[in-house]
mmCIF file of all heavy atoms in Angstrom:
data_model
loop_
_atom_site.group_PDB
_atom_site.id
_atom_site.type_symbol
_atom_site.label_atom_id
_atom_site.label_comp_id
_atom_site.label_asym_id
_atom_site.label_seq_id
_atom_site.Cartn_x
_atom_site.Cartn_y
_atom_site.Cartn_z
ATOM 1 N N GLY A 1467 -30.989 -21.874 83.654
ATOM 2 C CA GLY A 1467 -31.669 -21.577 82.375
ATOM 3 C C GLY A 1467 -32.468 -20.342 82.433
ATOM 4 O O GLY A 1467 -32.567 -19.509 81.447
ATOM 5 N N LYS A 1468 -33.095 -19.956 83.519
ATOM 6 C CA LYS A 1468 -33.885 -18.718 83.760
ATOM 7 C C LYS A 1468 -32.964 -17.463 83.588
ATOM 8 O O LYS A 1468 -33.323 -16.442 82.907
ATOM 9 C CB LYS A 1468 -34.677 -18.735 84.942
ATOM 10 C CG LYS A 1468 -35.814 -17.785 85.062
ATOM 11 C CD LYS A 1468 -36.584 -17.984 86.434
ATOM 12 C CE LYS A 1468 -37.784 -17.097 86.595
ATOM 13 N NZ LYS A 1468 -38.582 -17.201 87.772
ATOM 14 N N ILE A 1469 -31.862 -17.532 84.201
ATOM 15 C CA ILE A 1469 -30.910 -16.502 84.311
ATOM 16 C C ILE A 1469 -30.422 -16.155 82.845
ATOM 17 O O ILE A 1469 -30.387 -15.118 82.428
ATOM 18 C CB ILE A 1469 -29.756 -16.690 85.164
ATOM 19 C CG1 ILE A 1469 -30.287 -16.621 86.627
ATOM 20 C CG2 ILE A 1469 -28.599 -15.743 85.103
ATOM 21 C CD1 ILE A 1469 -29.105 -17.015 87.715
ATOM 22 N N ARG A 1470 -30.057 -17.238 82.074
ATOM 23 C CA ARG A 1470 -29.396 -17.033 80.843
ATOM 24 C C ARG A 1470 -30.390 -16.656 79.714
ATOM 25 O O ARG A 1470 -30.084 -16.151 78.642
ATOM 26 C CB ARG A 1470 -28.513 -18.207 80.494
ATOM 27 C CG ARG A 1470 -27.366 -18.597 81.262
ATOM 28 C CD ARG A 1470 -26.643 -19.788 80.900
ATOM 29 N NE ARG A 1470 -25.410 -20.053 81.751
ATOM 30 C CZ ARG A 1470 -24.211 -19.362 81.563
ATOM 31 N NH1 ARG A 1470 -24.114 -18.511 80.626
ATOM 32 N NH2 ARG A 1470 -23.275 -19.586 82.354
ATOM 33 N N SER A 1471 -31.705 -16.964 79.882
ATOM 34 C CA SER A 1471 -32.649 -16.707 78.938
ATOM 35 C C SER A 1471 -33.317 -15.319 79.196
ATOM 36 O O SER A 1471 -34.165 -14.935 78.302
ATOM 37 C CB SER A 1471 -33.663 -17.796 78.920
ATOM 38 O OG SER A 1471 -34.382 -17.882 80.095
ATOM 39 N N HIS A 1472 -33.078 -14.627 80.323
ATOM 40 C CA HIS A 1472 -33.752 -13.339 80.528
ATOM 41 C C HIS A 1472 -32.703 -12.241 80.476
ATOM 42 O O HIS A 1472 -31.459 -12.411 80.612
ATOM 43 C CB HIS A 1472 -34.342 -13.390 81.940
ATOM 44 C CG HIS A 1472 -35.598 -14.145 82.079
ATOM 45 N ND1 HIS A 1472 -35.745 -15.456 81.962
ATOM 46 C CD2 HIS A 1472 -36.863 -13.733 82.166
ATOM 47 C CE1 HIS A 1472 -37.022 -15.859 82.019
ATOM 48 N NE2 HIS A 1472 -37.718 -14.784 82.157
ATOM 49 N N GLU A 1473 -33.265 -11.009 80.370
ATOM 50 C CA GLU A 1473 -32.499 -9.721 80.294
ATOM 51 C C GLU A 1473 -31.622 -9.648 81.628
ATOM 52 O O GLU A 1473 -32.031 -10.108 82.725
ATOM 53 C CB GLU A 1473 -33.386 -8.594 80.104
ATOM 54 C CG GLU A 1473 -33.983 -8.557 78.731
ATOM 55 C CD GLU A 1473 -34.849 -7.265 78.646
ATOM 56 O OE1 GLU A 1473 -35.385 -6.842 79.684
ATOM 57 O OE2 GLU A 1473 -35.157 -6.882 77.459
ATOM 58 N N SER A 1474 -30.702 -8.838 81.582
ATOM 59 C CA SER A 1474 -29.991 -8.431 82.716
ATOM 60 C C SER A 1474 -30.272 -6.964 83.252
ATOM 61 O O SER A 1474 -30.980 -6.333 82.718
ATOM 62 C CB SER A 1474 -28.357 -8.547 82.430
ATOM 63 O OG SER A 1474 -28.008 -7.374 81.696
ATOM 64 N N LEU A 1475 -29.540 -6.593 84.342
ATOM 65 C CA LEU A 1475 -29.633 -5.296 84.955
ATOM 66 C C LEU A 1475 -29.394 -4.179 83.933
ATOM 67 O O LEU A 1475 -30.074 -3.201 83.830
ATOM 68 C CB LEU A 1475 -28.616 -5.195 86.035
ATOM 69 C CG LEU A 1475 -28.283 -3.891 86.467
ATOM 70 C CD1 LEU A 1475 -29.480 -3.128 87.193
ATOM 71 C CD2 LEU A 1475 -27.056 -3.911 87.507
ATOM 72 N N LEU A 1476 -28.381 -4.498 83.007
ATOM 73 C CA LEU A 1476 -27.987 -3.551 81.950
ATOM 74 C C LEU A 1476 -29.069 -3.356 80.906
ATOM 75 O O LEU A 1476 -29.317 -2.223 80.413
ATOM 76 C CB LEU A 1476 -26.675 -4.035 81.308
ATOM 77 C CG LEU A 1476 -25.500 -4.145 82.115
ATOM 78 C CD1 LEU A 1476 -24.285 -4.527 81.344
ATOM 79 C CD2 LEU A 1476 -25.140 -2.990 83.061
ATOM 80 N N HIS A 1477 -29.852 -4.348 80.652
ATOM 81 C CA HIS A 1477 -30.842 -4.161 79.775
ATOM 82 C C HIS A 1477 -32.053 -3.291 80.395
ATOM 83 O O HIS A 1477 -32.692 -2.441 79.567
ATOM 84 C CB HIS A 1477 -31.489 -5.525 79.269
ATOM 85 C CG HIS A 1477 -30.573 -6.305 78.525
ATOM 86 N ND1 HIS A 1477 -29.858 -7.330 78.978
ATOM 87 C CD2 HIS A 1477 -30.166 -6.354 77.191
ATOM 88 C CE1 HIS A 1477 -29.028 -7.961 78.183
ATOM 89 N NE2 HIS A 1477 -29.254 -7.320 77.049
ATOM 90 N N VAL A 1478 -32.307 -3.473 81.562
ATOM 91 C CA VAL A 1478 -33.348 -2.617 82.276
ATOM 92 C C VAL A 1478 -32.905 -1.200 82.274
ATOM 93 O O VAL A 1478 -33.715 -0.278 82.022
ATOM 94 C CB VAL A 1478 -33.474 -3.154 83.685
ATOM 95 C CG1 VAL A 1478 -34.480 -2.201 84.468
ATOM 96 C CG2 VAL A 1478 -34.031 -4.576 83.753
ATOM 97 N N LEU A 1479 -31.555 -0.915 82.561
ATOM 98 C CA LEU A 1479 -31.058 0.461 82.648
ATOM 99 C C LEU A 1479 -31.130 1.132 81.240
ATOM 100 O O LEU A 1479 -31.600 2.185 81.004
ATOM 101 C CB LEU A 1479 -29.597 0.474 83.083
ATOM 102 C CG LEU A 1479 -29.559 0.117 84.547
ATOM 103 C CD1 LEU A 1479 -27.984 0.093 84.936
ATOM 104 C CD2 LEU A 1479 -30.069 1.150 85.387
ATOM 105 N N ASP A 1480 -30.821 0.271 80.150
ATOM 106 C CA ASP A 1480 -30.822 0.816 78.817
ATOM 107 C C ASP A 1480 -32.281 1.115 78.416
ATOM 108 O O ASP A 1480 -32.594 2.224 77.776
ATOM 109 C CB ASP A 1480 -30.286 -0.281 77.795
ATOM 110 C CG ASP A 1480 -30.402 0.106 76.384
ATOM 111 O OD1 ASP A 1480 -29.663 1.060 75.987
ATOM 112 O OD2 ASP A 1480 -31.151 -0.423 75.647
ATOM 113 N N ARG A 1481 -33.347 0.377 78.851
ATOM 114 C CA ARG A 1481 -34.628 0.657 78.536
ATOM 115 C C ARG A 1481 -35.209 1.879 79.077
ATOM 116 O O ARG A 1481 -36.085 2.543 78.524
ATOM 117 C CB ARG A 1481 -35.519 -0.622 78.787
ATOM 118 C CG ARG A 1481 -36.923 -0.682 78.402
ATOM 119 C CD ARG A 1481 -37.812 -1.745 78.909
ATOM 120 N NE ARG A 1481 -37.062 -3.009 79.154
ATOM 121 C CZ ARG A 1481 -37.088 -3.667 80.172
ATOM 122 N NH1 ARG A 1481 -37.775 -3.218 81.244
ATOM 123 N NH2 ARG A 1481 -36.493 -4.885 80.286
ATOM 124 N N VAL A 1482 -34.631 2.395 80.211
ATOM 125 C CA VAL A 1482 -35.158 3.435 80.986
ATOM 126 C C VAL A 1482 -34.430 4.672 80.452
ATOM 127 O O VAL A 1482 -34.598 5.854 81.042
ATOM 128 C CB VAL A 1482 -35.173 3.416 82.545
ATOM 129 C CG1 VAL A 1482 -36.058 2.207 82.835
ATOM 130 C CG2 VAL A 1482 -33.856 3.216 83.084
ATOM 131 N N GLY A 1483 -33.367 4.556 79.662
ATOM 132 C CA GLY A 1483 -32.703 5.723 79.116
ATOM 133 C C GLY A 1483 -31.255 6.029 79.558
ATOM 134 O O GLY A 1483 -30.679 6.918 79.386
ATOM 135 N N VAL A 1484 -30.846 5.041 80.526
ATOM 136 C CA VAL A 1484 -29.393 5.195 80.948
ATOM 137 C C VAL A 1484 -28.489 4.590 79.873
ATOM 138 O O VAL A 1484 -28.650 3.624 79.277
ATOM 139 C CB VAL A 1484 -29.216 4.396 82.278
ATOM 140 C CG1 VAL A 1484 -27.784 4.375 82.701
ATOM 141 C CG2 VAL A 1484 -30.103 4.847 83.348
ATOM 142 N N ASP A 1485 -27.443 5.378 79.520
ATOM 143 C CA ASP A 1485 -26.491 5.004 78.505
ATOM 144 C C ASP A 1485 -25.543 3.895 79.093
ATOM 145 O O ASP A 1485 -24.944 4.065 80.147
ATOM 146 C CB ASP A 1485 -25.582 6.198 78.231
ATOM 147 C CG ASP A 1485 -24.719 5.945 77.037
ATOM 148 O OD1 ASP A 1485 -25.218 5.814 75.860
ATOM 149 O OD2 ASP A 1485 -23.452 5.914 77.315
ATOM 150 N N VAL A 1486 -25.465 2.866 78.423
ATOM 151 C CA VAL A 1486 -24.623 1.572 78.857
ATOM 152 C C VAL A 1486 -23.581 1.295 77.883
ATOM 153 O O VAL A 1486 -23.741 1.356 76.689
ATOM 154 C CB VAL A 1486 -25.646 0.473 78.843
ATOM 155 C CG1 VAL A 1486 -24.966 -0.741 79.310
ATOM 156 C CG2 VAL A 1486 -26.873 0.678 79.892
ATOM 157 N N LEU A 1487 -22.356 1.043 78.436
ATOM 158 C CA LEU A 1487 -21.231 0.607 77.814
ATOM 159 C C LEU A 1487 -20.460 -0.383 78.496
ATOM 160 O O LEU A 1487 -20.220 -0.213 79.806
ATOM 161 C CB LEU A 1487 -20.319 1.703 77.416
ATOM 162 C CG LEU A 1487 -18.943 1.331 76.746
ATOM 163 C CD1 LEU A 1487 -19.239 0.599 75.370
ATOM 164 C CD2 LEU A 1487 -18.058 2.492 76.578
ATOM 165 N N TRP A 1488 -20.196 -1.646 77.905
ATOM 166 C CA TRP A 1488 -19.362 -2.713 78.578
ATOM 167 C C TRP A 1488 -17.981 -2.618 77.941
ATOM 168 O O TRP A 1488 -17.869 -2.800 76.706
ATOM 169 C CB TRP A 1488 -20.058 -3.988 78.385
ATOM 170 C CG TRP A 1488 -19.284 -5.167 78.968
ATOM 171 C CD1 TRP A 1488 -18.021 -5.707 78.632
ATOM 172 C CD2 TRP A 1488 -19.649 -5.816 80.286
ATOM 173 N NE1 TRP A 1488 -17.796 -6.616 79.596
ATOM 174 C CE2 TRP A 1488 -18.763 -6.853 80.601
ATOM 175 C CE3 TRP A 1488 -20.887 -5.753 81.036
ATOM 176 C CZ2 TRP A 1488 -18.806 -7.691 81.567
ATOM 177 C CZ3 TRP A 1488 -20.871 -6.588 82.160
ATOM 178 C CH2 TRP A 1488 -20.026 -7.540 82.421
ATOM 179 N N ARG A 1489 -16.989 -2.332 78.747
ATOM 180 C CA ARG A 1489 -15.633 -2.316 78.280
ATOM 181 C C ARG A 1489 -14.847 -3.499 78.887
ATOM 182 O O ARG A 1489 -14.854 -3.644 80.029
ATOM 183 C CB ARG A 1489 -14.886 -0.971 78.659
ATOM 184 C CG ARG A 1489 -13.505 -0.795 78.156
ATOM 185 C CD ARG A 1489 -12.894 0.550 78.477
ATOM 186 N NE ARG A 1489 -13.663 1.615 77.629
ATOM 187 C CZ ARG A 1489 -13.281 2.865 77.819
ATOM 188 N NH1 ARG A 1489 -12.416 3.374 78.560
ATOM 189 N NH2 ARG A 1489 -13.892 3.817 77.001
ATOM 190 N N ASP A 1490 -14.255 -4.269 78.059
ATOM 191 C CA ASP A 1490 -13.932 -5.718 78.365
ATOM 192 C C ASP A 1490 -12.454 -5.962 78.336
ATOM 193 O O ASP A 1490 -11.837 -5.715 77.116
ATOM 194 C CB ASP A 1490 -14.512 -6.724 77.685
ATOM 195 C CG ASP A 1490 -14.554 -8.104 78.296
ATOM 196 O OD1 ASP A 1490 -13.670 -8.795 78.021
ATOM 197 O OD2 ASP A 1490 -15.490 -8.355 79.105
ATOM 198 N N ASN A 1491 -11.750 -6.332 79.403
ATOM 199 C CA ASN A 1491 -10.316 -6.839 79.272
ATOM 200 C C ASN A 1491 -10.224 -8.272 79.472
ATOM 201 O O ASN A 1491 -9.270 -8.774 80.171
ATOM 202 C CB ASN A 1491 -9.390 -6.012 80.181
ATOM 203 C CG ASN A 1491 -7.916 -6.219 79.821
ATOM 204 O OD1 ASN A 1491 -7.568 -6.553 78.729
ATOM 205 N ND2 ASN A 1491 -7.134 -6.056 80.894
ATOM 206 N N GLN A 1492 -11.372 -9.040 79.143
ATOM 207 C CA GLN A 1492 -11.417 -10.458 79.647
ATOM 208 C C GLN A 1492 -11.923 -11.160 78.438
ATOM 209 O O GLN A 1492 -11.736 -10.915 77.232
ATOM 210 C CB GLN A 1492 -12.416 -10.564 80.736
ATOM 211 C CG GLN A 1492 -11.652 -10.771 82.124
ATOM 212 C CD GLN A 1492 -11.349 -12.281 82.337
ATOM 213 O OE1 GLN A 1492 -11.606 -13.065 81.331
ATOM 214 N NE2 GLN A 1492 -10.907 -12.690 83.352
ATOM 215 N N SER A 1493 -12.693 -12.120 78.601
ATOM 216 C CA SER A 1493 -13.268 -13.028 77.565
ATOM 217 C C SER A 1493 -14.710 -12.898 77.344
ATOM 218 O O SER A 1493 -15.449 -13.744 77.151
ATOM 219 C CB SER A 1493 -12.967 -14.552 77.934
ATOM 220 O OG SER A 1493 -13.479 -14.890 79.118
ATOM 221 N N GLY A 1494 -15.192 -11.560 77.427
ATOM 222 C CA GLY A 1494 -16.578 -11.215 77.144
ATOM 223 C C GLY A 1494 -17.401 -11.123 78.381
ATOM 224 O O GLY A 1494 -17.091 -11.351 79.396
ATOM 225 N N CYS A 1495 -18.753 -10.686 78.082
ATOM 226 C CA CYS A 1495 -19.591 -10.380 79.148
ATOM 227 C C CYS A 1495 -20.517 -11.593 79.477
ATOM 228 O O CYS A 1495 -21.485 -11.514 80.210
ATOM 229 C CB CYS A 1495 -20.439 -9.197 78.832
ATOM 230 S SG CYS A 1495 -21.576 -9.269 77.374
ATOM 231 N N LYS A 1496 -20.433 -12.802 78.873
ATOM 232 C CA LYS A 1496 -21.205 -13.945 79.084
ATOM 233 C C LYS A 1496 -22.646 -13.736 79.019
ATOM 234 O O LYS A 1496 -23.513 -14.374 79.690
ATOM 235 C CB LYS A 1496 -20.911 -14.398 80.635
ATOM 236 C CG LYS A 1496 -19.414 -14.426 80.963
ATOM 237 C CD LYS A 1496 -18.575 -15.296 80.007
ATOM 238 C CE LYS A 1496 -17.046 -15.258 80.337
ATOM 239 N NZ LYS A 1496 -16.238 -16.063 79.337
ATOM 240 N N GLY A 1497 -22.980 -12.962 78.011
ATOM 241 C CA GLY A 1497 -24.384 -12.704 77.699
ATOM 242 C C GLY A 1497 -25.089 -11.501 78.468
ATOM 243 O O GLY A 1497 -26.184 -11.160 78.210
ATOM 244 N N VAL A 1498 -24.359 -11.048 79.491
ATOM 245 C CA VAL A 1498 -24.888 -9.910 80.267
ATOM 246 C C VAL A 1498 -25.197 -8.694 79.439
ATOM 247 O O VAL A 1498 -26.110 -7.925 79.688
ATOM 248 C CB VAL A 1498 -23.957 -9.541 81.540
ATOM 249 C CG1 VAL A 1498 -24.412 -8.374 82.199
ATOM 250 C CG2 VAL A 1498 -23.857 -10.744 82.448
ATOM 251 N N CYS A 1499 -24.351 -8.454 78.472
ATOM 252 C CA CYS A 1499 -24.498 -7.166 77.673
ATOM 253 C C CYS A 1499 -24.995 -7.475 76.226
ATOM 254 O O CYS A 1499 -24.779 -6.685 75.395
ATOM 255 C CB CYS A 1499 -23.138 -6.441 77.657
ATOM 256 S SG CYS A 1499 -21.785 -7.348 76.831
ATOM 257 N N ARG A 1500 -25.583 -8.631 76.077
ATOM 258 C CA ARG A 1500 -25.945 -9.027 74.753
ATOM 259 C C ARG A 1500 -26.911 -8.018 74.119
ATOM 260 O O ARG A 1500 -27.857 -7.532 74.650
ATOM 261 C CB ARG A 1500 -26.733 -10.360 74.856
ATOM 262 C CG ARG A 1500 -27.268 -10.904 73.501
ATOM 263 C CD ARG A 1500 -27.886 -12.313 73.871
ATOM 264 N NE ARG A 1500 -28.917 -12.614 72.810
ATOM 265 C CZ ARG A 1500 -29.603 -13.649 72.870
ATOM 266 N NH1 ARG A 1500 -29.656 -14.430 73.990
ATOM 267 N NH2 ARG A 1500 -30.576 -13.925 71.926
ATOM 268 N N GLY A 1501 -26.493 -7.466 72.899
ATOM 269 C CA GLY A 1501 -27.305 -6.460 72.168
ATOM 270 C C GLY A 1501 -26.971 -5.111 72.624
ATOM 271 O O GLY A 1501 -27.610 -4.138 72.102
ATOM 272 N N LEU A 1502 -26.149 -4.912 73.558
ATOM 273 C CA LEU A 1502 -25.713 -3.604 73.997
ATOM 274 C C LEU A 1502 -24.412 -3.182 73.641
ATOM 275 O O LEU A 1502 -23.618 -3.921 73.183
ATOM 276 C CB LEU A 1502 -25.843 -3.566 75.655
ATOM 277 C CG LEU A 1502 -27.212 -3.828 76.320
ATOM 278 C CD1 LEU A 1502 -27.159 -3.936 77.700
ATOM 279 C CD2 LEU A 1502 -28.272 -2.838 75.835
#
C-alpha cells in the first residue's frame, strides 16, 4: 500500500529538473510513471 500510494524515483527526478520519458513495449508502467 505504501509503495503504490507514494511517488517513484521518476517523480523525484522530474521534480529536480531531469527530463523523464517512459517508452513502453509492455503493458504499462504499473503506476511508476503516473502523470509523467
Side-chain angles (χ1 to χ4, degrees):
K1468 198 172 182 180
I1469 288 173
R1470 293 181 180 276
S1471 61
H1472 282 73
E1473 293 178 335
S1474 74
L1475 163 67
L1476 300 183
H1477 294 97
V1478 178
L1479 292 174
D1480 177 70
R1481 195 188 315 133
V1482 300
V1484 177
D1485 185 70
V1486 176
L1487 174 62
W1488 184 288
R1489 183 175 290 179
D1490 199 271
N1491 193 28
Q1492 257 275 10
S1493 54
C1495 68
K1496 313 304 179 187
V1498 170
C1499 63
R1500 179 175 156 189
L1502 299 173

